């Protein structure tokens, strides 16, 4: 069965945070800055210290027959779980999905 790889970025907002949630997120904010972001199968969650929005990046391996909507929904579930693991909740998710087979790399000659 042929496999496909998708890079997915999930953007979202933190649901309203209480003081305890805010303090917990700020305590580990340096582990979740943009410079730590990578596309991995587990996914990487990044957010700014203002605690308004977050970004989740992941690589999803799927069967060729899997529908894009299903693949994106799975990535959004991973993003939601990652945020909830930090003690917060999500709202207003939106995602961007790229089939890695369609990316063409142009190399410049020297």
């Amino acid at each position: 069965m042929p496999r496909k790889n998708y890079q997915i970025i999930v953007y979202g907002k933190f649901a309203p945070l209480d003081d305890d949630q805010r303090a917990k997120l700020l305590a580990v904010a340096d582990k979740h800055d943009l410079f730590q972001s990578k596309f991995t199968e587990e996914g990487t969650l990044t957010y700014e210290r203002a605690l308004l929005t977050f970004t989740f990046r992941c690589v999803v391996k799927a069967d060729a027959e899997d529908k894009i909507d299903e693949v994106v929904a799975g990535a959004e579930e991973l993003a939601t779980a990652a945020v909830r693991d930090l003690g917060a909740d999500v709202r207003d998710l939106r995602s961007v999905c790229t089939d890695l087979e369609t990316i063409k790399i142009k190399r410049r000659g020297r």
Side-chain angles (χ1 to χ4, degrees):
M1 191 175 306
R3 303 281 287 171
K4 289 186 145 206
N5 293 317
Y6 296 94
Q7 273 186 344
I8 302 174
I9 301 175
V10 179
Y11 301 99
K13 295 180 181 177
F14 288 105
L17 302 168
D18 62 28
D19 291 340
D20 188 44
Q21 289 172 312
R22 185 171 294 283
K24 286 178 183 176
L25 286 170
L26 287 174
V28 294
D30 291 339
K31 294 179 185 177
H32 297 279
D33 72 348
L34 183 60
F35 295 111
Q36 304 294 324
S37 67
K38 295 181 177 132
F39 284 96
T40 64
E41 287 186 43
E42 306 83 40
T44 304
L45 177 68
T46 60
Y47 57 88
E48 79 291 339
R49 296 186 78 75
L51 301 176
L52 300 174
T53 62
F54 63 87
T55 304
F56 183 81
R57 291 170 175 78
C58 65
V59 172
V60 175
K61 296 180 185 221
D63 293 329
E65 302 84 38
D66 289 341
K67 295 184 172 140
I68 297 268
D69 292 343
E70 295 169 352
V71 173
V72 169
E76 289 178 350
E77 287 176 17
L78 287 173
T80 300
V83 172
R84 287 182 178 158
D85 284 348
L86 293 175
D89 210 347
V90 304
R91 63 187 175 110
D92 300 334
L93 295 181
R94 57 189 174 85
S95 301
V96 177
C97 180
T98 303
D99 180 348
L100 293 179
E101 291 177 4
T102 64
I103 296 176
K104 294 188 170 97
I105 299 174
K106 294 183 182 180
R107 303 197 188 268
R108 289 189 222 174
R110 291 187 181 224

